[in-house]
Amino acid sequence: MEIMFKENQLEYLGITETDTVYQEETTEVTLPDSLPDADRILEIRGTPVVRSREHSGNTCTVNGGLPVTVLYLTENDPTPQRLETYLSFRVKKDIPGAEEGSVQYRIWLRGLDARRINTRKLLIRANLGSEFTLFEQKIQSLASLEAPPSCMQVKTGKYELLLPQTCGEKEVQLSDELPLSENAGEIDEILCRSTEPILTEWKILGNKAVFKGELRVHLLYRDGSGNLQAGEERMPFSQYLELDQEWDDGELVLQPLLTAMEVEKESPNSLAINCSLLVQATVFTKQTVSFTEDAYSTEGSLETEWETPNLPAVLDLQQLRETGLIRIQTEAAEILDHTVLLDRVNVRRDGDQAWLSVPVTVGILYWDEDRQLRWKTGRSEVSCAVVLAENAKCRAEAWMTGLKCTIRDGTVEAACEVQFSLLSRFDGIWKNLSGASITPDQENEQRPSVIVRRVQENGIWEIAKQNRAKVEQICAANHLTGEVVPVGTLLLIPLH
């Protein structure tokens, strides 16, 4: 007897994550004639900016640059000198399917340093990381039983799955005059600057992805009295991105990418900001998906066919915060400025837990006891633990939300507050019954109507399957309210 099935169509976006690409960019810079000789490097700061993206077939290319500022001291002058330069970079990756799908990008700065070759020439080295994620439209056919006969017992699993449905992007322009905060001194000359876009709120309203955030602008500058000051100014913004349709029940994941950066002095008490962001969005929706995970017949042998659909189901989306302490041995008397670089988040599985750890490099510009400017870096990790399902793998990103530096017994303690964004996905194989037929048994008058068995396993389903009985009849005969019973229990098992 052939069992009838019907085909259900499930539409979603398939996800392909590429390996992380690491690359180093170096350049030798000769000091212009207008600058004095370099004796000692103080601080180096840079922010990666994506200028353009190209698709040629399945090859994806990202072109960008790294505006770099180097502060250094001359031999006999305690006044910092500023050198500005630019490192270009190009990241190229072959991604099968990129020609038909959509690709999202992430670029970050892993490390940045400057070395003095001689008094007139510096070597600048930058380490970059990049990741590409491909989204492709998929249609998965799933078989389901139409009307199974009464002799066919089926075990069905229902799962609430978050599936990616659509993605989009928007270029956001941020141009305005930004007044300095009340406690900031007047700006005479900007020495170093860097910017970082941080998204603080996001949600879906109809066909719009609405988000709020702030552009964090870090400055080291010389005030009107010639003193050095450092501080962070924040420029709030609110924008929306149009989606292809209404997704009110969707979950939203956003990724900002800096595509232009200009921060200049507008007046002694304000900055002229001209930056742009590429905000990349992915929408996930929760769908109930049923799989027929096991089956047998009480009146014959059941021949089965199985399918193993590959669904990129997201099990969980989490936002976590953790603070880690990085200690830097110095002779610091007063801290003037700092830089922070976060690398890629590492994920280590330990049973039902996953440890997320992100390498953090902190650079400190400080005055020593002789009132000499010094620079030193320290590196450590900020970690947190999360509960992870058995058949799950996860990816995570991290960014700084706060840094507080204190000096204790000659050691700088940098308390780094990091926010982790975690996406965990099912990493097993789904199993679904896609075809079946029953060959009836020959009449057997010797088959008893009831047997007694001592439970060797906790699950009633396996007991019923082994004896070709019905679960509900076993439960009724033994007055059971659930399908789990202690090992060793004697059970009456009706067979007719």
Side-chain angles (χ1 to χ4, degrees):
M1 175 174 48
E2 289 289 335
I3 309 299
M4 300 302 295
F5 288 79
K6 65 178 181 180
E7 292 291 325
N8 302 306
Q9 304 294 320
L10 187 64
E11 297 186 10
Y12 62 95
L13 289 181
I15 302 177
T16 302
E17 297 166 354
T18 67
D19 295 332
T20 303
V21 178
Y22 297 118
Q23 66 186 57
E24 182 177 280
E25 301 290 344
T26 60
T27 186
E28 292 184 4
V29 181
T30 300
L31 299 181
D33 294 339
S34 58
L35 289 177
D37 292 351
D39 180 61
R40 179 161 55 88
I41 304 295
L42 278 181
E43 180 178 351
I44 182 168
R45 187 180 288 272
T47 304
V49 176
V50 172
R51 300 298 186 188
S52 65
R53 299 165 297 156
E54 302 171 2
H55 282 187
S56 178
N58 290 327
T59 301
C60 298
T61 304
V62 176
N63 298 300
L66 189 69
V68 174
T69 302
V70 181
L71 292 187
Y72 69 91
L73 292 178
T74 61
E75 186 174 3
N76 299 313
D77 188 353
T79 303
Q81 303 293 324
R82 180 181 80 247
L83 170 69
E84 293 188 337
T85 188
Y86 186 86
L87 275 74
S88 297
F89 65 81
R90 168 175 284 198
V91 184
K92 183 179 289 188
K93 186 73 174 178
D94 289 329
I95 308 174
E99 189 172 13
E100 302 296 331
S102 299
V103 179
Q104 292 186 357
Y105 309 83
R106 178 173 173 249
I107 308 288
W108 70 96
L109 183 62
R110 307 178 63 226
L112 182 64
D113 63 38
R115 305 286 177 87
R116 196 184 71 140
I117 299 175
N118 56 49
T119 59
R120 302 301 302 169
K121 185 177 288 187
L122 304 181
L123 174 66
I124 297 175
R125 180 174 58 191
N127 285 295
L128 296 166
S130 57
E131 291 177 338
F132 299 76
T133 303
L134 170 66
F135 296 90
E136 297 177 278
Q137 193 65 47
K138 300 284 188 180
I139 299 178
Q140 177 69 58
S141 294
L142 293 176
S144 63
L145 286 162
E146 284 194 324
S150 59
C151 66
M152 185 176 177
Q153 305 298 295
V154 295
K155 183 179 182 180
T156 302
K158 290 187 176 182
Y159 301 91
E160 292 285 338
L161 304 181
L162 273 175
L163 294 174
Q165 294 293 339
T166 189
C167 56
E169 63 182 36
K170 181 180 181 179
E171 190 88 15
V172 176
Q173 302 294 327
L174 302 176
S175 299
D176 205 349
E177 181 178 351
L178 178 63
L180 299 184
S181 52
E182 292 183 359
N183 59 349
E186 292 188 346
I187 297 175
D188 179 61
E189 178 188 11
I190 296 176
L191 299 178
C192 284
R193 64 184 69 78
S194 62
T195 62
E196 182 181 16
I198 299 292
L199 299 180
T200 56
E201 298 179 46
W202 54 88
K203 61 182 177 180
I204 297 176
L205 295 175
N207 68 334
K208 293 180 174 62
V210 181
F211 53 91
K212 294 181 180 180
E214 56 190 20
L215 186 69
R216 297 182 180 178
V217 182
H218 189 91
L219 296 174
L220 176 65
Y221 61 95
R222 188 176 288 112
D223 65 17
S225 301
N227 299 318
L228 297 179
Q229 294 198 35
E232 185 175 89
E233 304 297 332
R234 302 189 177 191
M235 177 179 172
F237 61 86
S238 179
Q239 293 280 339
Y240 70 89
L241 181 157
E242 289 195 1
L243 304 170
D244 57 349
Q245 65 178 68
E246 294 188 356
W247 300 98
D248 285 313
D249 296 327
E251 297 274 355
L252 186 62
V253 175
L254 298 176
Q255 174 69 55
L257 202 62
L258 195 64
T259 56
M261 183 190 78
E262 291 182 15
V263 178
E264 303 295 341
K265 170 187 170 183
E266 178 72 13
S267 74
N269 297 301
S270 64
L271 300 171
I273 305 294
N274 187 14
C275 296
S276 62
L277 311 176
L278 178 70
V279 179
Q280 304 168 108
T282 308
V283 177
F284 296 81
T285 60
K286 186 173 291 186
Q287 301 188 45
T288 301
V289 181
S290 297
F291 298 105
T292 304
E293 299 175 329
D294 201 1
Y296 64 92
S297 173
T298 60
E299 299 177 5
S301 61
L302 181 69
E303 300 294 328
T304 58
E305 297 177 4
W306 299 90
E307 61 186 7
T308 55
N310 181 21
L311 295 175
V314 173
L315 303 178
D316 198 12
L317 294 170
Q318 297 185 56
Q319 301 290 328
L320 308 165
R321 286 198 178 190
E322 191 67 45
T323 300
L325 198 62
I326 299 175
R327 293 181 172 87
I328 306 173
Q329 296 293 329
T330 68
E331 298 177 353
E334 181 184 348
I335 297 171
L336 175 60
D337 195 16
H338 65 264
T339 63
V340 182
L341 294 178
L342 272 62
D343 205 344
R344 181 178 183 271
V345 178
N346 299 310
V347 181
R348 178 175 59 86
R349 187 70 184 254
D350 185 11
D352 62 350
Q353 281 192 327
W355 284 93
L356 312 179
S357 60
V358 57
V360 181
T361 302
V362 176
I364 301 295
L365 182 65
Y366 62 93
W367 302 101
D368 65 13
E369 295 178 353
D370 297 325
R371 204 57 183 175
Q372 296 293 313
L373 276 175
R374 304 285 179 184
W375 171 262
K376 197 167 185 179
T377 60
R379 184 177 173 87
S380 186
E381 292 183 343
V382 178
S383 302
C384 70
V386 296
V387 176
L388 205 60
E390 180 181 358
N391 291 320
K393 66 176 181 179
C394 68
R395 59 173 293 187
E397 298 176 5
W399 59 89
M400 287 291 302
T401 55
L403 179 71
K404 183 178 180 180
C405 295
T406 56
I407 303 173
R408 298 181 188 276
D409 301 324
T411 299
V412 174
E413 294 184 348
C416 304
E417 185 183 70
V418 174
Q419 180 157 327
F420 292 89
S421 178
L422 172 69
L423 184 152
S424 59
R425 288 169 43 194
F426 179 75
D427 193 34
I429 298 176
W430 301 107
K431 181 182 178 182
N432 186 48
L433 185 67
S434 59
S437 61
I438 297 175
T439 302
D441 288 335
Q442 295 182 353
E443 292 292 334
N444 183 2
E445 297 180 356
Q446 302 298 318
R447 192 184 189 207
S449 59
V450 178
I451 61 175
V452 178
R453 289 286 185 269
R454 190 175 297 277
V455 176
Q456 302 296 324
E457 301 178 19
N458 291 104
I460 294 295
W461 172 266
E462 292 299 328
I463 297 170
K465 182 178 180 181
Q466 290 170 8
N467 295 279
R468 289 166 58 184
K470 294 183 178 182
V471 171
E472 60 271 20
Q473 291 181 351
I474 296 177
C475 291
N478 295 275
H479 307 290
L480 301 176
T481 58
E483 294 189 12
V484 177
V485 293
V487 173
T489 303
L490 285 174
L491 290 180
L492 294 174
I493 302 177
L495 300 181
H496 292 292

